């Protein structure tokens, strides 16, 4: 549900400083870089629902196609999971 993303969106966009955002992004990239690509897409799509800025920066750092991330972020949780059961094409 969209309401589930309001609090993290406000925290990311209004509470974190630029430096804190950079640290958060770096930490997420560091951890997700160890995951298979389909899981990276699934997780970054969820972060994209929090903030497009966050989704774009994570996509860039993980060398993911942002248009695919954005498309996944518009799917329901069930659709996104089904779509990422196999490698993303």
């Amino acid at each position: 549900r969209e309401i589930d993303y309001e609090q993290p969106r406000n925290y990311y966009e209004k509470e974190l400083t630029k430096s804190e955002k950079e640290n958060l992004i770096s930490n997420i990239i560091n951890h997700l870089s160890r995951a298979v690509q389909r899981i990276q897409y699934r997780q970054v799509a969820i972060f994209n629902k929090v903030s497009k800025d966050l989704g774009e920066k994570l996509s860039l750092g993980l060398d993911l196609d942002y248009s695919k991330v954005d498309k996944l972020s518009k799917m329901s949780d069930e659709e996104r999971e089904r779509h990422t059961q196999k490698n993303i094409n």
Side-chain angles (χ1 to χ4, degrees):
R1 300 178 328 217
E2 186 60 30
I3 195 167
D4 295 336
Y5 299 96
E6 286 180 14
Q7 185 176 12
R9 181 179 303 117
N10 286 333
Y11 181 71
Y12 178 80
E13 293 178 351
K14 298 178 181 174
E15 301 294 327
L16 293 180
T17 65
K18 182 179 179 182
S19 176
E20 290 170 330
K21 287 178 183 178
E22 290 170 356
N23 287 337
L24 175 66
I25 291 164
S26 176
N27 286 334
I28 294 169
I29 289 169
N30 182 44
H31 289 283
L32 277 180
S33 66
R34 300 174 191 147
V36 296
Q37 191 178 60
R38 65 185 181 82
I39 300 300
Q40 291 175 354
Y41 270 102
R42 185 185 302 172
Q43 294 309 120
V44 174
I46 293 169
F47 284 115
N48 194 59
K49 291 175 76 73
V50 170
S51 167
K52 295 228 181 245
D53 175 71
L54 181 57
E56 289 172 351
K57 289 178 177 171
L58 292 173
S59 295
L60 182 64
L62 291 166
D63 198 29
L64 301 178
D65 180 342
Y66 179 73
S67 65
K68 292 179 183 179
V69 167
D70 195 48
K71 181 179 175 183
L72 285 167
S73 74
K74 295 173 182 165
M75 296 178 181
S76 70
D77 292 342
E78 293 80 15
E79 290 172 319
R80 186 172 36 261
E81 184 175 348
R82 216 173 22 255
H83 193 79
T84 56
Q85 284 297 317
K86 296 184 180 184
N87 289 333
I88 303 291
N89 293 321

